[in-house]
Amino acid sequence: MAFESLNRDNVVDFLADIFARRGGESYMGEPVSMSEHMLQSAALAEKAGAPDSLIAASLLHDIGHYTSEFPEESLEQGQDNYHETAGADVLTAFFPKSVHEPIKLHVAAKRYLCATNPEYFNRLSPASVNSLNVQGGPMSDEEVADFETHEYYRDALRLRVWDDEGKFAGAQTRSFDDYRPLLTGLLVATER
Ligand code: FE
């Protein structure tokens, strides 16, 4: 399926297509594939009783790895590809802030939690510790205070924890298609 332009009618198909074609790729140094990881994150959000917008954010939080022009291995190689921004940018036109803002903040949320919660750092996987250094390390006090001014920072922190936990090899989850009604229900009116 070719997507020359994205619109409200095809964006969910576009996302499904990415999951289908690219989801089998490995999640940088973790024992799960990218689609398994994002589906597990969404499942954890559902289990926690999160609103639909935050379930959608969890499901789509790493989609930016596929919209960036940088190869996905670039993070492992020590260059931050800003996948959280790339992902949020694509979603901005189609989903409300409650979906794309937590995605945009999910890497900063890790830096925030490392600065504010010593136990959090100790639970990070080796791959996640490695990428933390590339991403700028724990936040400074000023950065922590600034992070807390974002409207959706608490949602970003919740998403972050599910992101960190969604790495179980072989765990059963629902499929992307199961989330189509939820995603479609969140689409915002768009001119495109
Ligand atoms: Fe992730």
Side-chain angles (χ1 to χ4, degrees), residues 101-163:
E101 280 289 306
I103 293 176
K104 199 188 299 179
L105 296 173
H106 86 273
V107 171
K110 177 167 114 179
R111 298 184 55 231
Y112 175 96
L113 289 166
C114 286
T116 57
N117 184 344
E119 285 176 28
Y120 172 83
F121 179 82
N122 292 331
R123 290 201 308 265
L124 286 180
S125 66
S128 199
V129 170
N130 185 39
S131 58
L132 171 69
N133 296 327
V134 178
Q135 289 154 349
M139 281 185 173
S140 66
D141 291 349
E142 292 76 22
E143 288 173 314
V144 164
D146 181 64
F147 186 77
E148 291 174 352
T149 66
H150 289 283
E151 185 179 357
Y152 288 98
Y153 89 91
R154 290 180 193 279
D155 279 354
L157 296 176
R158 299 182 78 191
L159 164 54
R160 184 70 227 181
V161 172
W162 301 321
D163 181 7

Side-chain angles (χ1 to χ4, degrees), residues 27 37 61-62 106 163:
Y27 181 53
H37 167 61
H61 76 271
D62 279 332
H106 86 273
D163 181 7

Side-chain angles (χ1 to χ4, degrees), residues 60-61 63-65 67 82-92 103:
L60 302 174
H61 76 271
I63 208 80
H65 284 294
T67 53
Y82 299 110
H83 76 278
E84 70 277 19
T85 315
D89 284 351
V90 170
L91 301 176
T92 299
I103 293 176

Side-chain angles (χ1 to χ4, degrees), residues 9-130:
D9 296 327
N10 70 8
V11 68
V12 175
D13 288 336
F14 168 77
L15 296 168
D17 184 58
I18 291 176
F19 266 73
R21 283 189 301 102
R22 307 285 306 273
E25 295 173 12
S26 72
Y27 181 53
M28 299 162 294
E30 306 287 359
V32 288
S33 70
M34 287 297 289
S35 60
E36 287 172 325
H37 167 61
M38 292 196 280
L39 287 162
Q40 287 184 26
S41 299
L44 289 164
E46 286 187 280
K47 203 171 147 200
D52 284 359
S53 56
L54 196 48
I55 295 168
S58 301
L59 178 68
L60 302 174
H61 76 271
D62 279 332
I63 208 80
H65 284 294
Y66 303 113
T67 53
S68 165
E69 61 187 76
F70 296 99
E72 67 160 340
E73 293 81 8
S74 59
L75 254 189
E76 276 182 307
Q77 291 164 4
Q79 179 191 19
D80 194 332
N81 66 0
Y82 299 110
H83 76 278
E84 70 277 19
T85 315
D89 284 351
V90 170
L91 301 176
T92 299
F94 305 106
F95 292 98
K97 264 180 120 177
S98 53
V99 175
H100 57 80
E101 280 289 306
I103 293 176
K104 199 188 299 179
L105 296 173
H106 86 273
V107 171
K110 177 167 114 179
R111 298 184 55 231
Y112 175 96
L113 289 166
C114 286
T116 57
N117 184 344
E119 285 176 28
Y120 172 83
F121 179 82
N122 292 331
R123 290 201 308 265
L124 286 180
S125 66
S128 199
V129 170
N130 185 39

